[in-house]
Amino acid sequence: QKEVEQDPGPLSVPEGAIVSLNCTYSNSAFQYFMWYRQYSRKGPELLMYTYSSGNKEDGRFTAQVDKSSKYISLFIRDSQPSDSATYLCVVTRSGGANNLFFGTGTRLTVIP
Amino acid sequence: DAGVTQSPTHLIKTRGQQVTLRCSPKSGHDTVSWYQQALGQGPQFIFQYYEEEERQRGNFPDRFSGHQFPNYSSELNVNALLLGDSALYLCASTLGSGANVLTFGAGSRLTVL
C-alpha cells in the first residue's frame, strides 16, 4: 500500500470554478501535510503547509485535513488560468527530506 | 535572492554512459536533497547531503552517487545509465537536515536513449 494516494486527473474546469483536489494516506502517524504546485517544466513550489487536523486558508486556497478519515484536500476558489499546473500532496510524520511522501500529482487545467 | 539553480536544463545520453548534474542551493541553505521524478509520478527521494556527507539515502542503487562541496553546492552522478533513468532530476535545499519544507530547483531533464 502506498503511503499517499492521489487521483492523477487530468482535471479541466472553466475559469471561476471551485476546484477540489484530494489525497488519502495510509499511516495515522503522519501529522504534517503539504501541497506543492508544479508548473510545466518547473520544480515544485510550496503552496500550503498544515499541521494536524483542521483548515488553513491563504487567499483563494484552502487546505483541509481530516485525520480521522486520513483524507486531505486542497480547494481553489475562483480558479484562474494561472492555476493550471500539477498539484502534489505531501505527507510526513517528522522532518527530513527522506521522510516526505509525495502523491503522484493531479494535473489541473483552468479554461478561460 | 537566488533560488535553487540546476544545470544542465536538458541532456540526452545513451545507455551505459555516465552523467553529472549540478545544483546550487538557495542562499542561506546548507542542505541539499536530490529527487527523481518520472513522467506522471511524484518525486522519489534519492539522497541528502549535509556538511559534505551523505546523510540519508532512498531506495536507489549505488550507480547513483553524489557530492557536496564546501560552498554547499552539490553534484549527482549516475553511472551505467539505463533507459529507466530517464526522468526529471530535482534538487531541493533546506536549512538543516531535519527541515521538511523544501525549495526546489527547476530540474534537469535527462533522456537516456
Side-chain angles (χ1 to χ4, degrees):
Chain A
Q1 185 181 11
K2 281 191 171 182
E3 289 83 5
V4 58
E5 301 274 2
Q6 182 173 11
D7 185 343
L11 182 62
S12 292
V13 301
E15 183 175 352
I18 297 174
V19 175
S20 173
L21 306 170
N22 307 294
C23 291
T24 59
Y25 61 92
S26 59
N27 192 333
S28 58
F30 292 137
Q31 53 183 344
Y32 300 92
F33 308 93
M34 289 164 266
W35 287 92
Y36 278 80
R37 177 175 61 195
Q38 185 172 21
Y39 289 114
S40 179
R41 305 183 191 283
K42 300 288 187 182
E45 58 178 340
L46 182 68
L47 191 60
M48 298 289 280
Y49 180 101
T50 55
Y51 170 70
S52 196
S53 283
N55 292 357
K56 181 175 182 179
E57 189 173 321
D58 184 1
R60 297 184 294 109
F61 299 88
T62 300
Q64 189 173 80
V65 177
D66 182 349
K67 293 193 74 178
S68 63
S69 302
K70 301 191 186 73
Y71 197 82
I72 60 175
S73 301
L74 178 70
F75 298 97
I76 307 174
R77 292 186 302 279
D78 187 25
S79 56
Q80 301 295 309
S82 59
D83 296 328
S84 298
T86 295
Y87 290 80
L88 298 155
C89 61
V90 184
V91 299
T92 183
R93 54 178 164 260
S94 63
N98 60 307
N99 293 317
L100 302 178
F101 297 99
F102 286 79
T104 54
T106 299
R107 187 172 157 193
L108 170 68
T109 301
V110 180
I111 303 167
Chain B
D1 180 22
V4 177
T5 57
Q6 291 187 244
S7 63
T9 305
H10 297 87
L11 68 167
I12 299 173
K13 294 286 188 177
T14 57
R15 281 180 297 174
Q17 285 189 311
Q18 179 263 344
V19 67
T20 297
L21 308 178
R22 296 175 176 84
C23 171
S24 292
K26 180 180 176 179
S27 177
H29 286 181
D30 58 6
T31 302
V32 172
S33 300
W34 287 92
Y35 288 83
Q36 181 194 66
Q37 186 177 26
L39 197 62
Q41 300 297 316
Q44 298 293 314
F45 177 76
I46 303 175
F47 43 53
Q48 180 189 73
Y49 277 85
Y50 173 68
E51 293 185 332
E52 301 181 48
E53 290 187 9
E54 182 182 297
R55 298 290 178 167
Q56 303 286 346
R57 188 177 185 94
N59 189 26
F60 279 81
D62 292 343
R63 298 187 297 109
F64 291 77
S65 63
H67 189 78
Q68 186 179 35
F69 299 94
N71 67 352
Y72 308 122
S73 66
S74 177
E75 287 182 350
L76 165 65
N77 301 293
V78 187
N79 294 322
L81 285 167
L82 303 174
L83 295 179
D85 295 331
S86 295
L88 180 67
Y89 288 85
L90 294 165
C91 171
S93 72
T94 56
L95 177 60
S97 61
N100 58 15
V101 176
L102 308 176
T103 300
F104 284 93
S108 294
R109 183 163 297 282
L110 171 65
T111 301
V112 182
L113 302 177

